[in-house]
Amino acid sequence: MDAVLSNLDVFVRGFTTTVTLTLAAVVGALVLGTVIAAMRVSPVPPLRWAGATYVQLVRNTPLTVVFFLVVFGLPEVDITLSFFVSAVLALSLYTAAFVAEAVRSGVSSVATGQAEASRAVGMTFGQTLRLVVLPQAFANIVPPLASVFIALLKNTSIASAFFVFEGVQSMNQLINANGDAVLAILAAAAVAYLGLALLASALFGLLERAVTVSR
Amino acid sequence: MSMLYDVPGPRARRRVLISSLVGLAVLALLLLVAGQRLADNGQFAYELYEPFLTEPQVYERLADGLRNTLTAAAYALVLASLLGVLLAFGRLSSKPWVRLPATVVVEVFRGLPLLLVIFAIFLAFPLAFGIELSALQALVLGLTLYNGAVIAEIVRAGVLAIPRGQTEAAMAVGLGRGQVLRLVLLPQAVRIMLPSLVSQLVVLLKDTSLGFIIGFSELLRTGGELVQVLDNPIQMYVAVALVYIVLNGSLSLLASYLEGRQRRTGGTVVPAMQIETGMGQAGAPV
């Protein structure tokens, strides 16, 4: 236990990076994922195909392979990024496919009559989506999105294998330095992840209550 | 056609056609820029692809890696299913001292990063029990604990989706709670949860790639070792990705076929998306 308490600063540094990594990737995945979801529900066939292809390819690829391609592949074509930025990019590219699926299923879960009614009063595709469907879809999107982002929080641990000093990496460093307190250090890291996951799910719970449409 | 727009008339068709052409042009431009970038850096050089065409050893190594990946996945699938059923029965038990520990195990292992679990097993087993684990054993055990917890939720949701009448009828003919669960509910729940189980198998297969971090020579690590010699990271990792995509893509197709069949016959399915990721989510599967 002493090993944990006296090295709290190392843990805090590591898990702060875990949090910033998660938040940066949330932004990236949200932007890319929403664009892909919009492509997938659009009336333009090539965009639909491109969106579907992206989701199919990325969903079936392990995140570790995406990391390898970003961290070791991009330098081959003269794109050198810092390890942190590479990790954000890999996590965003991967998570975007799941965000797109969550957004799309949220959109398609809005009652058909809503979109039909908007079209009946003469709204265009863009207006239907922006003014009628999306506000209602938002309530359906939040719960699956919460799962996706909590999975993302856990997935940031893979960045530890790609030279990013985050939670797991700080744990490994402490274990190497304190061979007599391995179990305590493991337990502390586990508690940190569970705490962050609980915090995230509490925040999403609040968000969910805020966006629920009252009928 | 989506419900978001009408069956297009002549003007809308023209608009869609124009947008299609613009969209195609943008996509082609993106591909062109990427291709140019690859070409500028000599990524289309024949030497980088030659080993795939002329070296049978490359295929032998990758096949070995794939075999290890599939071995780990197969062990983990069997063990995780057993653990999952056990934990699900625990959570469905009427006795609080069975239900509580099962709930804690499920929530904890669903909430922890798999990598952390694998590290913990690798490090803690020798310390706590004096047993040195091989990389394969640590990987399989980690995958079992995590996927067992997820499968427990799938099984529980499947069992809870069965109409109450089944339980009532089974109890009325004199079966005990355990018998009802084992003989009546579980066999029927299998149909409901099969699509989610197959989707979870995709997650499990992808997660075997974490074995590379603890030194298990599965497909991805083998690819990495070959890159050390061949120096073609982009080509090699894309090839590895394609193997995963073909494997998992077929499984995903199977899952959606099973789900479609289940829905067509008027049955319910456990929504995979919400269970497969994360803990204590608001829309908790019931």
Side-chain angles (χ1 to χ4, degrees):
Chain A
M1 211 56 218
D2 281 351
V4 175
L5 291 177
S6 59
N7 289 303
L8 214 54
D9 57 321
V10 180
F11 257 127
V12 169
R13 199 153 53 88
F15 279 96
T16 310
T17 310
T18 293
V19 171
T20 47
L21 199 54
T22 307
L23 292 178
V26 162
V27 174
L30 215 52
V31 172
L32 185 57
T34 313
V35 171
I36 292 167
M39 284 165 71
R40 290 200 69 181
V41 298
S42 79
V44 183
L47 295 184
R48 279 210 303 270
W49 301 328
T53 310
Y54 183 89
V55 171
Q56 281 311 321
L57 290 183
V58 173
R59 259 206 326 181
N60 292 317
T61 310
L63 174 57
T64 32
V65 176
V66 180
F67 259 99
F68 267 97
L69 276 169
V70 169
V71 175
F72 301 118
L74 286 185
E76 294 290 312
V77 291
D78 245 5
I79 301 174
T80 29
L81 305 170
S82 74
F83 290 126
F84 182 83
V85 175
S86 302
V88 171
L89 185 61
L91 287 164
S92 303
L93 289 173
Y94 179 78
T95 311
F98 297 90
V99 171
E101 280 301 275
V103 172
R104 192 178 65 106
S105 68
V107 168
S108 53
S109 69
V110 174
T112 320
Q114 295 287 327
E116 283 171 351
S118 343
R119 275 166 27 210
V121 297
M123 289 186 177
T124 63
F125 170 72
Q127 286 173 322
T128 307
L129 210 56
R130 202 173 67 246
L131 300 173
V132 179
V133 175
L134 280 185
Q136 297 182 65
F138 206 65
N140 300 326
I141 293 172
V142 170
L145 218 50
S147 318
V148 169
F149 287 144
I150 289 170
L152 167 64
L153 168 71
K154 297 192 289 175
N155 282 337
T156 57
S157 61
I158 292 175
S160 67
F162 297 89
F163 323 107
V164 177
F165 190 85
E166 44 63 79
V168 167
Q169 188 72 273
S170 68
M171 174 191 92
N172 283 339
Q173 184 186 325
L174 287 181
I175 285 175
N176 287 334
N178 305 279
D180 51 344
V182 175
L183 295 181
I185 295 168
L186 283 171
V191 168
Y193 273 109
L194 288 176
L196 285 176
L198 277 177
L199 181 68
S201 95
L203 288 176
F204 271 107
L206 286 178
L207 179 63
E208 197 186 341
R209 275 178 44 197
V211 297
T212 304
V213 188
S214 48
R215 288 182 226 270
Chain B
M1 264 289 146
S2 160
M3 49 125 184
L4 291 172
Y5 35 85
D6 281 302
V7 177
R11 274 176 60 195
R13 268 206 301 276
R14 197 162 353 120
R15 217 168 36 232
V16 167
L17 184 68
I18 293 170
S19 324
S20 293
L21 292 176
V22 171
L24 272 179
V26 170
L27 291 173
L29 196 70
L30 281 175
L31 283 179
L32 211 67
V33 168
Q36 188 63 46
R37 188 98 206 176
L38 287 167
D40 285 349
N41 289 280
Q43 289 299 319
F44 292 121
Y46 177 62
E47 303 92 78
L48 295 172
Y49 299 86
E50 192 187 6
F52 291 108
L53 303 172
T54 56
E55 297 282 347
Q57 266 182 314
V58 170
Y59 284 101
E60 283 163 26
R61 290 288 306 278
L62 286 177
D64 281 342
L66 181 59
R67 201 170 309 126
N68 285 336
T69 290
L70 294 176
T71 309
Y75 278 127
L77 174 66
V78 173
L79 293 174
S81 303
L82 290 174
L83 179 66
V85 170
L86 222 62
L87 285 173
F89 280 14
R91 285 200 80 169
L92 290 165
S93 165
S94 56
K95 303 173 186 69
W97 50 268
V98 178
R99 202 167 57 225
L100 211 67
T103 307
V104 170
V105 169
V106 168
E107 290 299 339
V108 164
F109 283 108
R110 240 160 33 116
L112 287 177
L114 179 53
L115 185 60
L116 182 78
V117 176
I118 293 173
F119 272 140
I121 289 168
F122 214 39
L123 294 168
F125 250 72
L127 287 172
F129 307 109
I131 308 168
E132 288 285 345
L133 290 181
S134 70
L136 173 65
Q137 287 167 330
L139 178 64
V140 168
L141 208 55
L143 287 169
T144 301
L145 287 173
Y146 172 69
N147 290 288
V150 178
I151 290 175
E153 286 303 274
I154 296 175
V155 173
R156 192 170 73 106
V159 166
L160 289 176
I162 309 247
R164 275 189 65 83
Q166 295 286 330
T167 311
E168 287 162 2
M171 285 188 158
V173 296
L175 298 184
R177 272 190 69 92
Q179 284 175 311
V180 174
L181 208 51
R182 210 176 62 242
L183 302 174
V184 178
L185 297 181
L186 193 64
Q188 299 185 66
V190 168
R191 268 180 77 91
I192 298 178
M193 60 201 199
L194 207 53
S196 297
L197 278 181
V198 177
S199 306
Q200 188 56 30
L201 183 54
V202 172
V203 177
L204 194 154
L205 251 175
K206 291 199 296 183
D207 283 344
T208 56
S209 64
L210 289 176
F212 95 91
I213 296 173
I214 54 168
F216 177 59
S217 289
E218 40 67 65
L219 181 59
L220 179 57
R221 190 182 175 85
T222 311
E225 285 164 6
L226 287 170
V227 168
Q228 307 276 317
V229 184
L230 303 174
D231 197 25
N232 58 349
I234 294 183
Q235 290 73 14
M236 181 58 75
Y237 293 131
V238 167
V240 167
L242 284 177
V243 176
Y244 281 110
I245 287 167
V246 168
L247 266 180
N248 292 327
S250 336
L251 283 172
S252 302
L253 280 181
L254 176 65
S256 49
Y257 163 75
L258 289 171
E259 190 173 335
R261 192 185 64 175
Q262 181 72 2
R263 284 200 200 285
R264 264 200 312 285
T265 54
T268 45
V269 284
V270 179
M273 180 96 185
Q274 293 189 14
I275 295 176
E276 123 195 336
T277 50
M279 64 182 288
Q281 65 278 71
V286 176

